[in-house]
Amino acid sequence: MENSSNIWFEEPLSPGLLQRCLVSNIVCSTKSKYQTIEIIDTEPFGRCLIIDGKTQSSQEDEFIFHEALVHPSILTHPGPETVFIAGGGEGATLREVLAHESVKRAVMVDIDEEVVSLSKRYLPSWHQGAFEDPRLELHYADAKEYLANSQEKFDVIIIDLVDPLEEGPTYLLFTQSFYRLVQQRLTTQGIVVVQSECAALGYTRAFTSIAHTLSTVFPGVYPYKVNIHSFGGDWGFVMATQGLSPLDLSPEEVDQRIATRVTRELRLYDGMTHLGMFSLPKYLRELFDKETWVITEENPLTVL
Amino acid sequence: MENSSNIWFEEPLSPGLLQRCLVSNIVCSTKSKYQTIEIIDTEPFGRCLIIDGKTQSSQEDEFIFHEALVHPSILTHPGPETVFIAGGGEGATLREVLAHESVKRAVMVDIDEEVVSLSKRYLPSWHQGAFEDPRLELHYADAKEYLANSQEKFDVIIIDLVDPLEEGPTYLLFTQSFYRLVQQRLTTQGIVVVQSECAALGYTRAFTSIAHTLSTVFPGVYPYKVNIHSFGGDWGFVMATQGLSPLDLSPEEVDQRIATRVTRELRLYDGMTHLGMFSLPKYLRELFDKETWVITEENPLTVL
Amino acid sequence: MENSSNIWFEEPLSPGLLQRCLVSNIVCSTKSKYQTIEIIDTEPFGRCLIIDGKTQSSQEDEFIFHEALVHPSILTHPGPETVFIAGGGEGATLREVLAHESVKRAVMVDIDEEVVSLSKRYLPSWHQGAFEDPRLELHYADAKEYLANSQEKFDVIIIDLVDPLEEGPTYLLFTQSFYRLVQQRLTTQGIVVVQSECAALGYTRAFTSIAHTLSTVFPGVYPYKVNIHSFGGDWGFVMATQGLSPLDLSPEEVDQRIATRVTRELRLYDGMTHLGMFSLPKYLRELFDKETWVITEENPLTVL
Amino acid sequence: MENSSNIWFEEPLSPGLLQRCLVSNIVCSTKSKYQTIEIIDTEPFGRCLIIDGKTQSSQEDEFIFHEALVHPSILTHPGPETVFIAGGGEGATLREVLAHESVKRAVMVDIDEEVVSLSKRYLPSWHQGAFEDPRLELHYADAKEYLANSQEKFDVIIIDLVDPLEEGPTYLLFTQSFYRLVQQRLTTQGIVVVQSECAALGYTRAFTSIAHTLSTVFPGVYPYKVNIHSFGGDWGFVMATQGLSPLDLSPEEVDQRIATRVTRELRLYDGMTHLGMFSLPKYLRELFDKETWVITEENPLTVL
């Protein structure tokens, strides 16, 4: 008898490279004002959120992405009270932020109310009730405009945006001018972290250019990576600081800060993981050293 | 912005040949006692019924399959009153049978109640209410057992079975012994028609061997074909008779019989279509001439 | 042990519908001045010529395409001596033309010398030496320009062009003005035949509009189709005449003309095949009746 | 104009997950006595060696695999003179081994002469002449039988075998009894390293069970991983020792040993890379802690 399950989600990872996942259910498929949004159930990764054809996060490994995005920055800071999240519509970035006792206020600005609304309904294991936390202030707006029109400063700013697709809603938020604005909205010891696209050999141009662009604004720039299988490989992040450094934290110090400041068990992140994430391989460090592209509105970054 | 719809149903047509359809919705996906059943919405063919991974019929072109299966036999017969349908769970074969005024009684035997139940719910444009017709007697049983245990004779028997997959529920119904049983359940002028798999060059072995096997039981055997795009190409049927011949009907006679005996407008079938369906190309007629395989339970037919 | 052969050629047939063939060898892959040309060996269809990503013909079923393209027109004519071929770089159209004893002169004009050169080298079972025939006069030029600049008239003109892709080399040759030019280059009883794209339900717009456009120039227009598995289904052709009609030929007359005028055995075409090809199904005849689009340079036909 | 390059190599990574690479050339495709061997040129990864349908190494990132496989073990050892390689037919493992000045003798045993022969011909950037090095002794034999029938002891043994496919040539070399044999063929300070399959979340069973099985034979077991994009993600290795530990080497010490003992520039491996490779994330360390499967001939490991 034939294998009957033969419905596949196909995602381009890079030119000439595709990933295909077996699909068991299409939970929803819609177009918002800004982008197309699909939630599907897959065999290898469980439920997945797909925006404009690209996997944003999956049930199986979203914890890797979101823990890697949030904890290094918040724990490098001595005790952040205010956190700003740009994007992050699934609510999982928020979930990780709110796991920190020091955080008194989280302002989240996502342009697309429909992503949040569908996530609330269909992605409960992502947000886990985080949208109900009284520390949250949620706005549906363009993060750049919001920050430009506000004077509030934050201890940590987390840039959790969808890929900078040509004509997509985010590509202007991967620019030097946006990072300058971000720097103005940080407190003195404030830290920003940016999800920074693919970190796999041969496809690191976004990763290295984001880091280089941040280095024109911030004195401390620290790229790191983790493996996210549903994204097809290694994924990059860049932390930028105004003096503090994640490299000053020993594994023991990271474990100590988690024990005293994080209110629940983490699955990915601890001292040893921290060490592994920031210890980039030689060929990748060399690519960062060689990068010269400063991303601007005139010379923007866009990915496949 | 990326094309976001990138979910595909993939179906093997033959070794080394696959067809992929863009999927917009998975309506249902289940395993019955006998087979896996999926109903999906596709861009090229609309809603499709998939059993054990193979397309059974699609919203766009099911009319071609079902009109081609039913009308040539019923109209070659001078005025059939009783019709037996083996399989046909979607209800569209039944729909076409009941469009004939002469038909007083239709007995339909499908092994899988779940196919019928899901078709009633999700495939209304297929059955169009045919399951409610008082002329219908519906059984959930093995068609071979049913015919073996009954003494009733029919004017037309329509064999509308799923592909004979190895270990699937139907491969024993593509055998000489089954066709002998069918012959015993036909009235003197009775006609049988068998959906007979792929008719495309290079993949006609099922088609020619079904015809050859029928020719060991019936004096008149008439293969014909139509193009069904959702099946990936030409599809074969074999009509077997005990004296009557579809080749005796001129296009005008076919049109005349439709006008007087069929109660609604047909979309595929008329006199010209009849002529085209039975006028097989030279290479295909030669393959029928050369075929020597008699399908038996010991030497059964199974397809990919 | 895994199946190791897992290299596939993927071809879009229509929006949301793809065909995938297992590939065993890439014989050549190049870009000419006009188009990309690939010759590959596939499991289901043997060697295939692919131009701009679309299958032009395959070893297994090119005989169907080329016999269907050539013989109906040449045999409808009482005895053509001169034949013009636009396109047909593989040499198989030429091969079929030269199989007719009456033909004294064949002028073939293909824009792309590289297609002819690669076909000579890699597709010997297509041309079978036809390029060496002394009756052939071969030009590498735009067929429209060639005909515009010549005053010669032909008994049969065969338009065997690649699909009219946007910005491709042929879309201006699927227009009313080109057909007018063709008509001026035909002898009094002259016949033209045009390969006319997909004939499968739902994707017949090219087929019906080519026929309709020809009907604005020629008094007799006769669409027909055959099934070509490597093209993913039924394929259309349109014969246009100035008085003669293929429908006037009985199957017996076709067989008789083949016997007396064709110098070798045909595999597809004979009287019965002729009858089947021209007997189109009802839904397709209705689409021809409803078509109103006249293809012009201002409102050109382009396919996927 | 259509994109004409549409030939794809498709590789199953895990159940329900496939990777597709655009193919520009099939360099060779053959079946040896043991396995199917294909060498193809792909857009994302350049030339690739495929055995039994699985990517063994690619031009773009083979340096990551082979440097990660070889250098940590050889440099953890104070100065190995003899090295045994099981498998490694491409010659790139050998290339890395021979880059160590201390190595006086390398014995390589690959079961499949055809892999070596095709690699010599088609993969020059892999072996880079290593097969000509006078320190090499090359045998075409089963590595288990070779080691069982020899009494020679080695300072480092490198197990670079193809995936343990059911009925494939290597699955009996992923067992406790083979690792016991390996232990008997090591000198007192001898080290073994095993390529240990996928290290991506959800698909680590081979990786953790190989490590656990080695831990029943060796006092020191050190799993590590690197990202190999052409393999679809993180890839695991296990080093097993009899007292020495890679964790005792600081990044500075690794850099120092490379500077004094390795005769050419490395691209992946240095002190920082070493630190990153052995610093596994928390969830993965927990999976190693929980693993209880000892791989035996009766209860063998096989992968997709």
Side-chain angles (χ1 to χ4, degrees):
Chain A
M1 203 177 302
E2 284 296 288
N3 175 8
S4 65
S5 274
N6 219 348
I7 299 172
W8 299 84
F9 168 62
E10 184 166 283
E11 179 173 354
L13 297 181
S14 51
L17 184 65
L18 301 172
Q19 181 173 278
R20 298 177 76 198
C21 292
L22 202 58
V23 173
S24 59
N25 194 21
I26 300 174
V27 175
C28 75
S29 175
T30 187
K31 280 183 201 284
S32 75
K33 213 162 87 185
Y34 302 100
Q35 44 207 355
T36 62
I37 308 166
E38 291 166 300
I39 296 175
I40 61 176
D41 290 332
T42 72
E43 178 162 322
F45 303 121
R47 188 153 292 188
C48 294
L49 172 68
I50 317 292
I51 292 186
D52 283 343
K54 310 205 71 162
T55 301
Q56 299 304 307
S57 57
S58 88
Q59 189 177 339
E60 285 301 309
D61 58 18
E62 61 85 6
F63 79 91
I64 297 181
F65 178 82
H66 292 108
E67 291 193 19
L69 175 65
V70 169
H71 300 305
S73 295
I74 297 195
L75 289 179
T76 294
H77 191 284
E81 300 197 349
T82 55
V83 176
F84 181 87
I85 302 168
E90 303 103 312
T93 296
L94 179 64
R95 175 195 73 206
E96 296 302 323
V97 166
L98 296 174
H100 288 265
E101 267 183 357
S102 68
V103 174
K104 307 299 180 223
R105 168 171 165 77
V107 176
M108 172 172 161
V109 176
D110 195 301
I111 202 168
D112 198 340
E113 183 164 3
E114 193 137 0
V115 171
V116 173
S117 164
L118 292 169
S119 297
K120 281 181 177 171
R121 180 161 177 195
Y122 293 119
L123 306 179
S125 77
W126 272 251
H127 55 78
Q128 297 180 18
F131 289 117
E132 312 310 315
D133 194 293
R135 292 174 286 173
L136 168 65
E137 183 179 313
L138 175 58
H139 299 270
Y140 299 113
D142 178 81
K144 192 171 192 175
E145 279 182 36
Y146 181 91
L147 287 178
N149 295 326
S150 161
Q151 294 303 319
E152 185 175 1
K153 297 200 171 199
F154 297 90
D155 297 326
V156 174
I157 292 180
I158 298 172
I159 312 293
D160 180 16
L161 297 172
V162 300
D163 297 340
L165 301 179
E166 214 176 316
E167 302 180 47
T170 71
Y171 80 99
L172 292 177
L173 284 73
F174 285 82
T175 57
Q176 188 187 43
S177 67
F178 180 62
Y179 297 146
R180 283 192 178 131
L181 174 61
V182 163
Q183 195 271 337
Q184 293 162 16
R185 292 295 169 272
L186 285 173
T187 53
T188 313
Q189 289 194 301
I191 294 175
V192 61
V193 61
V194 180
Q195 89 77 1
S196 299
E197 304 294 318
C198 183
L201 178 70
Y203 303 95
T204 55
R205 200 67 207 275
F207 189 15
T208 58
S209 59
I210 290 168
H212 184 68
T213 303
L214 282 163
S215 77
T216 65
V217 179
F218 290 89
V221 170
Y222 306 95
Y224 60 101
K225 71 180 178 74
V226 288
N227 189 252
I228 302 178
H229 201 35
S230 66
F231 288 9
D234 271 2
W235 208 254
F237 303 85
V238 183
M239 185 196 300
T241 70
Q242 305 175 95
L244 297 165
S245 167
L247 308 184
D248 292 341
L249 302 183
S250 68
E252 296 71 27
E253 175 65 20
V254 170
D255 287 336
Q256 178 61 25
R257 291 190 182 192
I258 291 171
T260 56
R261 291 166 48 180
V262 181
T263 57
R264 62 170 176 67
E265 188 76 6
L266 302 183
R267 294 174 63 194
L268 167 77
Y269 186 67
D270 66 0
M272 178 72 81
T273 305
H274 179 93
L275 188 62
M277 292 194 307
F278 283 94
S279 300
L280 299 181
K282 183 180 181 186
Y283 68 84
L284 188 51
R285 299 196 320 270
E286 290 178 350
L287 291 168
F288 281 105
D289 290 347
K290 286 181 196 157
E291 181 62 72
T292 59
W293 180 15
V294 178
I295 308 166
T296 59
E297 299 188 10
E298 295 71 38
N299 192 12
L301 172 70
T302 57
V303 301
L304 177 70
Chain B
M1 206 176 300
E2 284 296 289
N3 174 8
S4 65
S5 274
N6 219 347
I7 299 173
W8 298 85
F9 169 61
E10 183 166 285
E11 179 172 355
L13 296 180
S14 51
L17 185 63
L18 300 172
Q19 180 172 280
R20 298 177 76 197
C21 292
L22 203 57
V23 173
S24 59
N25 194 20
I26 301 175
V27 176
C28 74
S29 175
T30 187
K31 279 180 201 285
S32 75
K33 214 162 87 186
Y34 302 100
Q35 47 207 353
T36 62
I37 309 166
E38 290 166 300
I39 296 175
I40 61 177
D41 291 333
T42 71
E43 176 161 324
F45 303 120
R47 188 154 291 189
C48 294
L49 172 67
I50 316 291
I51 292 186
D52 284 342
K54 308 204 72 162
T55 301
Q56 298 305 303
S57 58
S58 87
Q59 188 176 338
E60 284 301 308
D61 60 17
E62 63 84 10
F63 80 91
I64 297 181
F65 178 83
H66 292 108
E67 290 193 21
L69 174 65
V70 168
H71 300 305
S73 295
I74 296 194
L75 289 179
T76 294
H77 191 285
E81 301 197 346
T82 55
V83 176
F84 181 87
I85 302 168
E90 302 103 314
T93 296
L94 179 64
R95 174 195 75 206
E96 296 302 324
V97 166
L98 296 173
H100 289 264
E101 267 183 356
S102 68
V103 174
K104 306 298 180 225
R105 168 170 164 79
V107 177
M108 173 173 159
V109 176
D110 194 302
I111 203 169
D112 199 340
E113 185 165 0
E114 192 138 359
V115 171
V116 173
S117 164
L118 293 169
S119 297
K120 281 181 177 171
R121 180 160 178 196
Y122 294 118
L123 307 179
S125 76
W126 272 251
H127 55 78
Q128 296 179 17
F131 290 116
E132 312 311 316
D133 194 294
R135 292 172 287 173
L136 168 66
E137 183 179 312
L138 175 58
H139 299 270
Y140 301 114
D142 178 82
K144 191 171 193 176
E145 278 183 35
Y146 181 90
L147 288 177
N149 293 326
S150 161
Q151 293 304 317
E152 185 174 1
K153 297 201 171 197
F154 297 90
D155 296 326
V156 173
I157 292 180
I158 297 171
I159 313 293
D160 179 15
L161 296 172
V162 298
D163 295 341
L165 302 179
E166 215 177 318
E167 302 179 48
T170 70
Y171 80 99
L172 293 176
L173 283 73
F174 285 83
T175 58
Q176 188 186 45
S177 67
F178 180 63
Y179 297 146
R180 283 193 176 128
L181 174 60
V182 162
Q183 192 273 336
Q184 291 163 20
R185 294 296 170 268
L186 286 172
T187 53
T188 314
Q189 288 194 302
I191 294 176
V192 62
V193 63
V194 180
Q195 88 76 0
S196 299
E197 304 292 320
C198 182
L201 178 70
Y203 304 94
T204 56
R205 199 67 207 276
F207 188 17
T208 59
S209 61
I210 289 169
H212 185 68
T213 303
L214 283 162
S215 77
T216 66
V217 178
F218 290 88
V221 170
Y222 306 95
Y224 61 101
K225 71 179 177 74
V226 287
N227 189 252
I228 302 178
H229 201 35
S230 67
F231 289 10
D234 270 3
W235 207 253
F237 303 85
V238 184
M239 184 195 301
T241 70
Q242 306 174 92
L244 295 166
S245 168
L247 309 184
D248 291 343
L249 303 182
S250 68
E252 297 71 25
E253 174 64 21
V254 170
D255 287 337
Q256 178 61 27
R257 291 190 182 192
I258 290 170
T260 57
R261 291 166 48 180
V262 181
T263 56
R264 61 169 177 69
E265 188 77 8
L266 302 184
R267 295 173 63 195
L268 166 77
Y269 187 68
D270 67 0
M272 179 72 82
T273 304
H274 179 94
L275 189 61
M277 290 195 306
F278 284 94
S279 300
L280 299 181
K282 184 182 181 187
Y283 67 85
L284 187 52
R285 299 197 319 272
E286 290 178 349
L287 290 169
F288 282 104
D289 290 346
K290 286 181 194 156
E291 182 59 72
T292 61
W293 179 14
V294 178
I295 307 167
T296 60
E297 299 187 9
E298 294 73 37
N299 193 11
L301 172 70
T302 56
V303 300
L304 177 70
Chain C
M1 206 176 300
E2 284 298 289
N3 175 8
S4 66
S5 274
N6 219 348
I7 299 173
W8 299 84
F9 169 61
E10 184 166 284
E11 179 173 354
L13 297 180
S14 51
L17 184 65
L18 301 172
Q19 181 173 278
R20 297 177 76 198
C21 292
L22 203 58
V23 173
S24 60
N25 195 21
I26 300 174
V27 176
C28 74
S29 175
T30 187
K31 278 182 202 285
S32 75
K33 213 161 86 185
Y34 303 100
Q35 45 207 355
T36 62
I37 309 166
E38 291 166 299
I39 297 176
I40 61 177
D41 290 333
T42 71
E43 177 162 322
F45 304 121
R47 187 154 291 188
C48 294
L49 173 66
I50 316 292
I51 292 186
D52 284 342
K54 309 204 72 162
T55 300
Q56 298 305 304
S57 57
S58 88
Q59 189 176 339
E60 285 302 307
D61 58 18
E62 62 84 8
F63 80 91
I64 297 181
F65 178 82
H66 292 109
E67 291 193 19
L69 175 65
V70 169
H71 300 305
S73 294
I74 297 194
L75 290 179
T76 294
H77 191 282
E81 300 197 348
T82 54
V83 176
F84 181 87
I85 302 168
E90 302 104 312
T93 295
L94 179 64
R95 173 195 74 205
E96 296 301 323
V97 165
L98 296 173
H100 290 264
E101 267 183 358
S102 68
V103 174
K104 306 298 180 225
R105 168 171 165 79
V107 176
M108 173 173 159
V109 177
D110 195 302
I111 202 168
D112 198 341
E113 184 165 1
E114 194 138 359
V115 171
V116 173
S117 164
L118 293 170
S119 297
K120 280 181 176 170
R121 179 161 179 196
Y122 294 119
L123 306 180
S125 77
W126 272 251
H127 55 79
Q128 296 179 19
F131 289 117
E132 312 310 315
D133 195 292
R135 293 173 285 173
L136 169 65
E137 183 179 312
L138 175 58
H139 299 271
Y140 301 113
D142 178 81
K144 192 171 190 175
E145 279 182 35
Y146 182 91
L147 288 178
N149 294 327
S150 162
Q151 293 304 318
E152 186 174 1
K153 297 200 172 200
F154 297 91
D155 296 325
V156 173
I157 292 180
I158 298 172
I159 314 293
D160 180 15
L161 296 171
V162 299
D163 296 339
L165 301 180
E166 215 177 315
E167 301 179 48
T170 70
Y171 80 100
L172 293 176
L173 284 73
F174 286 82
T175 56
Q176 189 187 42
S177 67
F178 179 63
Y179 297 146
R180 283 193 177 129
L181 174 60
V182 163
Q183 195 270 339
Q184 291 162 18
R185 293 295 170 271
L186 285 173
T187 53
T188 314
Q189 288 195 301
I191 295 176
V192 61
V193 62
V194 180
Q195 88 77 1
S196 299
E197 304 293 318
C198 182
L201 177 70
Y203 304 95
T204 55
R205 200 68 207 275
F207 190 15
T208 58
S209 61
I210 290 168
H212 184 68
T213 303
L214 282 162
S215 76
T216 65
V217 178
F218 289 90
V221 171
Y222 306 95
Y224 60 101
K225 71 179 178 74
V226 288
N227 190 253
I228 301 177
H229 201 34
S230 67
F231 289 9
D234 271 3
W235 208 253
F237 303 85
V238 183
M239 184 195 302
T241 71
Q242 305 173 96
L244 297 165
S245 168
L247 308 185
D248 292 342
L249 303 183
S250 68
E252 296 72 26
E253 175 65 19
V254 170
D255 287 336
Q256 179 61 27
R257 292 189 180 191
I258 290 171
T260 57
R261 292 166 48 181
V262 181
T263 57
R264 61 169 177 68
E265 187 77 7
L266 303 182
R267 294 172 64 194
L268 167 78
Y269 186 68
D270 67 359
M272 178 72 82
T273 304
H274 180 94
L275 189 61
M277 290 194 307
F278 284 94
S279 300
L280 298 181
K282 183 182 181 185
Y283 68 84
L284 187 52
R285 301 196 320 271
E286 290 178 349
L287 290 169
F288 281 105
D289 290 346
K290 286 180 196 157
E291 183 60 71
T292 59
W293 180 16
V294 178
I295 308 167
T296 60
E297 299 188 10
E298 295 72 38
N299 192 11
L301 171 70
T302 57
V303 300
L304 179 69
Chain D
M1 205 176 302
E2 284 297 288
N3 174 9
S4 66
S5 274
N6 219 346
I7 299 174
W8 298 84
F9 169 61
E10 182 166 285
E11 178 173 355
L13 297 180
S14 51
L17 185 64
L18 302 170
Q19 181 172 279
R20 298 178 76 197
C21 292
L22 202 58
V23 173
S24 59
N25 194 21
I26 300 175
V27 176
C28 75
S29 174
T30 186
K31 278 182 202 286
S32 76
K33 214 162 86 185
Y34 302 100
Q35 46 207 355
T36 63
I37 307 166
E38 291 165 300
I39 296 175
I40 61 177
D41 290 332
T42 72
E43 177 162 324
F45 304 120
R47 188 153 292 188
C48 294
L49 172 68
I50 316 291
I51 292 187
D52 285 343
K54 309 205 72 162
T55 300
Q56 298 305 305
S57 58
S58 88
Q59 190 176 337
E60 284 301 308
D61 59 18
E62 63 83 10
F63 80 90
I64 297 181
F65 178 82
H66 291 107
E67 291 193 20
L69 176 65
V70 168
H71 300 306
S73 294
I74 296 194
L75 289 180
T76 293
H77 191 284
E81 300 196 347
T82 56
V83 175
F84 181 87
I85 302 168
E90 301 103 315
T93 295
L94 180 64
R95 175 194 74 207
E96 296 302 324
V97 165
L98 295 173
H100 289 265
E101 267 183 357
S102 68
V103 174
K104 307 298 181 225
R105 169 171 164 79
V107 177
M108 173 172 158
V109 177
D110 195 302
I111 202 168
D112 199 340
E113 184 165 0
E114 194 139 358
V115 171
V116 173
S117 164
L118 293 169
S119 297
K120 279 182 178 171
R121 181 162 178 195
Y122 295 118
L123 306 180
S125 76
W126 273 251
H127 55 78
Q128 295 179 18
F131 289 117
E132 312 311 317
D133 194 294
R135 293 174 285 173
L136 169 65
E137 182 178 313
L138 175 58
H139 299 270
Y140 301 112
D142 178 81
K144 191 172 192 174
E145 278 183 35
Y146 181 90
L147 287 178
N149 293 327
S150 161
Q151 294 303 318
E152 185 174 0
K153 296 200 172 197
F154 298 90
D155 296 326
V156 173
I157 293 180
I158 297 171
I159 313 293
D160 179 16
L161 297 172
V162 300
D163 296 340
L165 301 180
E166 215 176 317
E167 301 179 47
T170 70
Y171 80 99
L172 292 176
L173 284 74
F174 285 83
T175 57
Q176 188 187 43
S177 66
F178 180 63
Y179 297 146
R180 283 193 177 129
L181 174 60
V182 163
Q183 194 271 337
Q184 292 163 18
R185 293 296 170 272
L186 285 173
T187 52
T188 314
Q189 288 194 302
I191 295 176
V192 61
V193 62
V194 180
Q195 87 77 0
S196 300
E197 304 293 319
C198 182
L201 178 70
Y203 303 94
T204 56
R205 200 67 207 276
F207 190 14
T208 58
S209 60
I210 289 169
H212 185 68
T213 303
L214 282 163
S215 77
T216 66
V217 178
F218 289 89
V221 170
Y222 306 95
Y224 61 101
K225 71 181 178 71
V226 287
N227 190 252
I228 301 177
H229 201 35
S230 67
F231 290 8
D234 271 1
W235 207 253
F237 303 86
V238 184
M239 184 196 301
T241 71
Q242 306 174 92
L244 296 166
S245 167
L247 309 185
D248 292 342
L249 302 183
S250 67
E252 295 71 26
E253 174 64 21
V254 170
D255 287 336
Q256 178 60 27
R257 292 190 181 191
I258 291 172
T260 56
R261 291 165 49 179
V262 181
T263 57
R264 63 169 176 67
E265 188 76 7
L266 303 183
R267 295 172 63 195
L268 167 77
Y269 187 68
D270 67 359
M272 179 71 84
T273 305
H274 179 94
L275 189 62
M277 291 196 306
F278 284 95
S279 300
L280 299 181
K282 183 180 182 187
Y283 67 85
L284 187 52
R285 300 195 322 270
E286 290 178 349
L287 290 169
F288 281 105
D289 290 345
K290 285 181 194 155
E291 182 60 73
T292 60
W293 179 15
V294 178
I295 308 167
T296 60
E297 299 187 10
E298 296 73 37
N299 193 11
L301 171 71
T302 57
V303 301
L304 179 69

